[in-house]
Amino acid sequence: MHLQLRRIGNSQGIILPRPMLQQVGIDKEVDIEVVDGAIILRPAKQHPRDGWDESFAKATEAGYTPDDDLFEGMSSAFDQTEWQW
């Protein structure tokens, strides 16, 4: 499909046909990125952490386990000088 760029204020844009947007599930918002010289549009996730549970489950099944407390045994200047028990 060949579309013309249109001037929109100080920017440029295109008008995408409704059937095309419906086909990919784009309703109101999109995530956009540039990959290898191409502009990629995807339906915006309603909740940014959607899919995390499945990803963690797959990682656990693959043998990955959460690290212990990464800050254990580390101290900062605040810990050394200003913290009082």
Side-chain angles (χ1 to χ4, degrees), residues 1-2 8 11-14 20 31 36 49 54-55 59 67 73 84:
M1 175 179 289
H2 185 82
I8 303 173
S11 300
Q12 293 184 338
I14 57 173
M20 181 183 286
D31 286 326
D36 297 328
R49 294 184 181 103
E54 294 83 16
S55 295
D67 294 328
Q84 295 181 16

Side-chain angles (χ1 to χ4, degrees), residues 10-81:
N10 290 331
S11 300
Q12 293 184 338
I14 57 173
I15 304 297
L16 299 173
R18 177 178 284 151
M20 181 183 286
L21 296 172
Q22 290 173 335
Q23 185 177 359
V24 296
I26 293 176
D27 184 29
K28 294 184 180 183
E29 296 182 3
V30 297
D31 286 326
I32 184 170
E33 65 179 313
V34 176
V35 177
D36 297 328
I39 298 171
I40 308 294
L41 298 174
R42 291 187 181 90
K45 292 183 179 180
Q46 296 300 317
H47 303 284
R49 294 184 181 103
D50 280 349
W52 281 23
D53 289 336
E54 294 83 16
S55 295
F56 285 125
K58 286 179 185 177
T60 302
E61 289 172 10
Y64 294 103
T65 57
D67 294 328
D68 291 331
D69 184 359
L70 297 175
F71 298 107
E72 186 175 327
M74 295 178 62
S75 64
S76 66
F78 175 82
D79 293 330
Q80 303 283 330
T81 59

